[in-house]
Amino acid sequence: MIVFVFLALLQLKVPDAQQLVGAPAGKKLAGAELDQKTMELSQILRCPVCQGLSISDSPSIMAANMRDQVRDLLVQGYSQEQVLKYFEQSYGQFVLLKPKFQGVNTFVWLLPLGALLIGLAITLVKMNKLDAAPAAPAPEAPADDPYVARVRELVEK
Amino acid sequence: MNKTVLAIGILITAALVAVFFLVMGKDPGHIDSPLIGRPAPTFTLRAVGSGQPLNLEQLRGKPVVINFWATWCMPCYQEHPVLVQNARMLGDNVQFVGVVFNDTEDKIQQFLNARGSAYPTVIDEAGKTAIAYGVGGVPETFFVDKAGKIVAKYEGPMDGDTLQSYVAKVMQ
């Protein structure tokens, strides 16, 4: 019976990362370096069952499974790019907390820059207009203004 | 007001309103699966009860309905009878497979004993198969055609009509 169970267990196989991202292209990580890299990647992968949380910050079981998967892939020698691609192949770009500079995502990167440039352009145009406009001459008070005459009289005393 | 500034203001407002209407009405929890149209990730997992390994590749040649579920998932209770009834009705024409993750075999067996079973249920021990399929929550169901390609994905519990309309897609 034990042999039968053991043989059955040997046949078990979860989906192979190599199918999705090719052979491992990095070095096999271990120890502190593995912990550090697992943490780094977990901070940029989105938890699919949470609201805007990374798998590093989420207490959900799904996030824990994903963190374990990140760790396993790094142990096997998959590079950072391959690990991110692995999750992207399953969940799409949704899983990346930092969107890629491609397709519709390009707007996410370019819109703030565009808004800044438009703001700068408006400011510069306004400043140029102010510089180009001739300074208005100070209005002269009429010589026979009794109010001005009285002020002059008081000042000259 | 300066006409240029007014035009820019209108343009930005129009863009924001357009984005708002595009996003509004979409389920924020919905994830468009990049797996649609691609080969279903293969797996060999242990079947509940028999302990026998079930290999997805061995099912190639007939449509497969892969249902991810768990005993702690309340909507799965609602969906289970629909799956069992349709699996019995479709017989050998379509193979149903239940994949349970983050659960224990005892609880799964109790669930199946109490609510019936008409197809193999396998255990995804560390949720790795669920991750490879991009599962965000349970229940989630994938429809795989005869060639082993994922044709559609459904998130949430299905009623009979929904299930049959999706099965029709893989039967074509």
Side-chain angles (χ1 to χ4, degrees), chain A residues 48-64:
Chain A
V49 294
C50 318
Q51 294 289 328
L53 280 181
S54 71
I55 60 169
S56 165
D57 298 329
S58 167
S60 75
I61 299 170
M62 177 61 81

Side-chain angles (χ1 to χ4, degrees), chain A residues 17-155:
Chain A
Q18 202 159 330
Q19 270 183 336
L20 299 170
V21 294
K27 67 167 185 172
K28 292 182 179 180
L29 299 185
E33 198 181 359
L34 172 63
D35 292 342
Q36 175 65 27
K37 197 46 124 180
T38 304
M39 175 64 86
E40 271 176 35
L41 290 176
S42 298
Q43 281 168 347
I44 54 174
L45 285 167
R46 185 196 301 267
C47 164
V49 294
C50 318
Q51 294 289 328
L53 280 181
S54 71
I55 60 169
S56 165
D57 298 329
S58 167
S60 75
I61 299 170
M62 177 61 81
N65 287 344
M66 289 171 77
R67 284 195 300 270
D68 289 345
Q69 181 69 338
V70 169
R71 194 178 180 85
D72 283 357
L73 292 171
L74 292 171
V75 167
Q76 289 173 54
Y78 287 96
S79 66
Q80 172 168 327
E81 291 71 28
Q82 284 179 307
V83 174
L84 294 177
K85 192 178 169 190
Y86 173 82
F87 284 95
E88 197 189 331
Q89 298 257 0
S90 307
Y91 291 95
Q93 285 204 28
F94 163 85
V95 81
L96 306 176
L97 278 173
K98 188 176 167 186
K100 281 184 169 179
F101 189 78
Q102 66 179 45
V104 181
N105 290 344
T106 314
F107 288 106
V108 177
W109 295 95
L110 293 183
L111 275 177
L113 191 65
L116 185 70
L117 289 176
I118 290 171
L120 272 175
I122 291 171
T123 310
L124 286 173
V125 168
K126 288 282 179 195
M127 283 171 67
N128 279 342
K129 277 187 182 168
L130 284 175
D131 285 347
E140 282 183 21
D144 57 347
D145 187 335
Y147 176 76
V148 174
R150 175 72 185 136
V151 170
R152 243 186 222 134
E153 188 188 317
L154 288 171
V155 169

Side-chain angles (χ1 to χ4, degrees), chain B residues 45-51 67-73 76-77 80 84 97-127 138:
Chain B
L45 297 174
R46 185 167 54 87
V48 175
S50 70
N67 175 249
F68 286 87
W69 67 282
T71 60
W72 42 263
C73 148
C76 300
Y77 284 72
H80 186 72
V84 170
V97 177
V99 181
V100 189
F101 72 104
N102 296 328
D103 220 322
T104 64
E105 186 156 4
D106 285 350
K107 285 182 182 170
I108 301 165
Q109 195 65 70
Q110 279 173 25
F111 181 103
L112 295 174
N113 288 344
R115 291 173 176 77
S117 170
Y119 51 87
T121 295
V122 294
I123 307 177
D124 182 19
E125 298 283 1
V138 281

